[in-house]
Amino acid sequence: MGPHWTAEQRTRRAAAVRRWKPWESATGPVTDAGRAVSAGNAAVHGMASTRWRVELRELHALLRATVRDGRDTESFGP
């Protein structure tokens, strides 16, 4: 959710964006090959981030249990 702007703030921001014209300097893939790679990024990284969150939750649960049980946490890190 974005900031809660007043109507006046939104109007000023819209005018500023129209002056800046950020779309004129937007970058992105310009070749067909680059566009193909970019199109697949969401699928690859979206799945990876989902797996990462699951593994991170499992790790946090393990560490919480370890600290709660008073076990040595030195064995978990380098």
Side-chain angles (χ1 to χ4, degrees), residues 44-59:
V44 171
H45 297 295
M47 290 185 329
S49 65
T50 300
R51 281 193 303 268
W52 168 249
R53 283 192 302 271
V54 168
E55 291 175 8
L56 191 59
R57 274 195 298 269
E58 292 171 357
L59 177 62

Side-chain angles (χ1 to χ4, degrees), residues 22-35:
W23 55 88
E24 290 182 354
S25 61
T27 60
V30 293
T31 65
D32 289 339
R35 288 185 184 109

